[in-house]
């Protein structure tokens, strides 16, 4: 490791951090919103239609994000009628966003299914409209327990963002590669990329871990009370 | 409507003349192959208190759940305050009711669930005020006022800000009663 090269490369590589973080946030927001679409399709009462969407989700999930990026950037413009050329950042946002939305949709689904049937019945008994059932009763209970899982997907997505350099999104990865190609020093710029990812992912992982513990506690309150009771019983 | 295992039926002469508030006419209910209710006929007059008794699994909850529109009768009719619950009359024929009709007729019926089904993400007070505010569109201050009075009446005036997970079974039941009324 040559320190003068390291110091020379550092400002160049770090100038791409805005693009890297921007792409992470944009594609994650897309995934969060589009995830609801998948969840909705899974609740369509006409089973064959729901199955078609399940199959599409499965397809997107089992093909590599890299292939999807290439498809959107290179192949989609050639599709007759609906095809159009998208800039690299938009393509990457769509590609990563769609890929991760299938996971997020699954997370939402598990959250919603985790809400007891009795909660739906109580809100029917109180004469809530369908919309009110969702906004006042079901979603406020379904979403919080999924937050740690959603956070994990954010970190995984963040680590997939360098893929976008393959279609010309100039984030830290692309800048490091360019620097290496020009100066024949790859070690320093790539080390910088690794360090940047580490200092951004690791604290987030710790934060999510904390959140997860907090959520578990919240839903364990009842258990905690029960245990105290049985302990008293044992003493007597 | 409260489920009770106590036998108690107010027999009072004035009930004889009054129009029934709830009528079941030959109501059947099957779950798959199993017929749980085999032709229920029932009339409940205003202010009458009725207890349904029977062994576990005999269909008491099912009878009440149909009134709350949580379970659809396989056949027969339920009439609430002169209106068909599950049907609407059109050109002299009865056709299945839509969700809007169910909401209208269900409006004044309350239910305390066997497992209470309180909303765990809301405080006791919020559990009681949410329907008056969002469904009956009562203003917030008066809904809050009424809910507090109701909860004080059932002896939970000091638990307004507690969450259901912090209550005992009996306390939960009382919240469920306050919420249903
Ligand atoms: N959703 C359902 N699917 C299938 N069977 C059901 C369903 N709900 C109730 N049953 C069956 O219908 C019968 C009547 O149930 P119900 O809950 O009405 O009994 P109950 O009289 O309230 O009993 P308990 O006194 O134990 O509360 C039972 O045999 C039960 O297994
Ligand atoms: Mg029962």
């Amino acid at each position: 490791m040559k320190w003068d090269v390291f110091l020379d490369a550092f400002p160049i590589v770090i100038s791409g951090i805005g693009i890297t973080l921007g792409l992470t946030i944009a594609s994650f927001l897309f995934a969060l919103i589009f995830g609801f679409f998948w969840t909705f399709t899974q609740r369509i009462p006409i089973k064959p239609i729901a199955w078609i969407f399940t199959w599409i989700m499965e397809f997107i999930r089992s093909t590599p994000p890299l292939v999807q990026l290439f498809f959107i950037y290179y192949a989609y413009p050639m599709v007759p009628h609906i095809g159009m050329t998208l800039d690299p950042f938009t393509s990457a946002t769509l590609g990563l966003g769609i890929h991760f939305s299938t996971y997020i949709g699954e997370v939402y689904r598990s959250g919603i299914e985790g809400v007891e049937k009795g909660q739906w019945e109580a809100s029917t008994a109180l004469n809530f409209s369908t919309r009110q059932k969702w906004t006042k009763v079901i979603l406020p209970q379904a979403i919080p327990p999924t937050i740690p899982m959603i956070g994990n997907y954010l970190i995984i997505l963040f680590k997939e963002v360098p893929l976008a350099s393959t279609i010309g999104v100039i984030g830290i990865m692309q800048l490091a590669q360019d620097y290496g190609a020009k100066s024949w020093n790859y070690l320093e710029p790539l080390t910088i990329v690794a360090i940047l990812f580490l200092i951004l992912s690791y604290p987030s992982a710790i934060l999510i871990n904390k959140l997860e513990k907090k959520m578990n506690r919240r839903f364990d309150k009842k258990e905690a009370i029960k245990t105290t009771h049985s302990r008293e019983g044992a003493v007597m | 409507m409260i489920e009770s295992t106590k036998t108690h039926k107010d027999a009072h002469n004035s009930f004889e003349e009054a129009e029934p508030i709830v009528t079941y006419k030959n109501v059947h209910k099957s779950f798959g192959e199993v017929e749980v209710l085999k032709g229920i006929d029932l009339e409940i007059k205003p202010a009458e208190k009725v207890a349904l008794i029977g062994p576990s699994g005999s269909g008491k909850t099912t009878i009440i759940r149909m009134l709350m529109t949580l379970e659809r009768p396989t056949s027969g009719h339920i009439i609430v305050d002169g209106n068909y619950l599950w049907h609407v009359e059109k050109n002299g024929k009865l056709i299945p009711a839509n969700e809007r009709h169910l909401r209208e007729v269900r409006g004044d019926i309350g239910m305390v669930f066997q497992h209470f089904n309180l909303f765990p993400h809301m405080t006791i007070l919020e559990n009681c005020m949410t329907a008056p505010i969002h469904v009956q569109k009562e203003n917030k201050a008066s809904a809050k006022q009424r809910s507090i009075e109701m909860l004080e009446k059932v002896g939970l005036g000091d638990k307004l800000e507690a969450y259901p997970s912090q209550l005992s079974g009996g306390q939960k039941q009382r919240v469920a009663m306050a919420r249903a009324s």
Side-chain angles (χ1 to χ4, degrees), chain B residues 3 60-61 114:
Chain B
E3 265 199 18
K60 305 178 294 293
T61 298
Q114 215 159 346

Side-chain angles (χ1 to χ4, degrees), chain A residues 64-93:
Chain A
L66 183 62
V67 176
Q68 286 161 17
L69 283 185
F70 274 36
F71 187 89
I72 290 173
Y73 189 61
Y74 294 113
Y76 175 62
M78 296 175 190
V79 177
H81 307 303
I82 57 162
M84 58 175 149
T85 310
L86 299 168
D87 65 81
F89 191 88
T90 310
S91 306
T93 303

Side-chain angles (χ1 to χ4, degrees), chain B residues 134-152:
Chain B
H134 298 296
V135 182
Q136 284 92 40
K137 310 285 178 207
E138 186 177 346
N139 84 59
K140 212 170 165 174
S142 93
K144 186 170 175 178
Q145 184 62 31
R146 275 192 327 106
S147 302
I148 293 176
E149 279 165 22
M150 196 83 73
L151 285 165
E152 279 169 351

Side-chain angles (χ1 to χ4, degrees), chain A residues 118-119 121 127 132 136 141, chain B residues 65 103 106 118 121 134:
Chain A
Q119 295 293 312
E121 296 187 341
N127 225 5
Q132 287 170 331
K136 308 279 178 221
Q141 292 182 64
Chain B
R65 285 171 59 85
R103 277 196 83 194
R106 176 167 68 211
L118 299 176
H121 59 299
H134 298 296

Side-chain angles (χ1 to χ4, degrees), chain A residues 116-130 132-133 136-138 140-141 218 221-222 225, chain B residues 65 68-70 103 106-107 109 111 113 117-122 130-131 134-137 165-166 172 179:
Chain A
E116 285 180 61
K117 197 173 129 232
Q119 295 293 312
W120 288 97
E121 296 187 341
S123 40
T124 302
L126 291 173
N127 225 5
F128 281 131
S129 67
T130 306
Q132 287 170 331
K133 284 179 195 173
K136 308 279 178 221
V137 179
I138 304 304
Q141 292 182 64
R218 215 185 90 149
K221 244 181 225 156
K222 241 185 279 176
I225 292 168
Chain B
R65 285 171 59 85
M68 203 69 258
T69 71
L70 298 173
R103 277 196 83 194
R106 176 167 68 211
I109 311 173
M111 174 170 183
F113 289 86
N117 299 356
L118 299 176
F119 300 133
H121 59 299
M122 298 182 189
T130 177
H134 298 296
V135 182
Q136 284 92 40
K137 310 285 178 207
S165 63
Q166 300 163 329
K172 276 185 215 164
R179 184 178 69 171

Side-chain angles (χ1 to χ4, degrees), chain B residues 31 36 55-62 114:
Chain B
F31 291 108
V36 177
S56 179
S58 56
K60 305 178 294 293
T61 298
T62 306
Q114 215 159 346

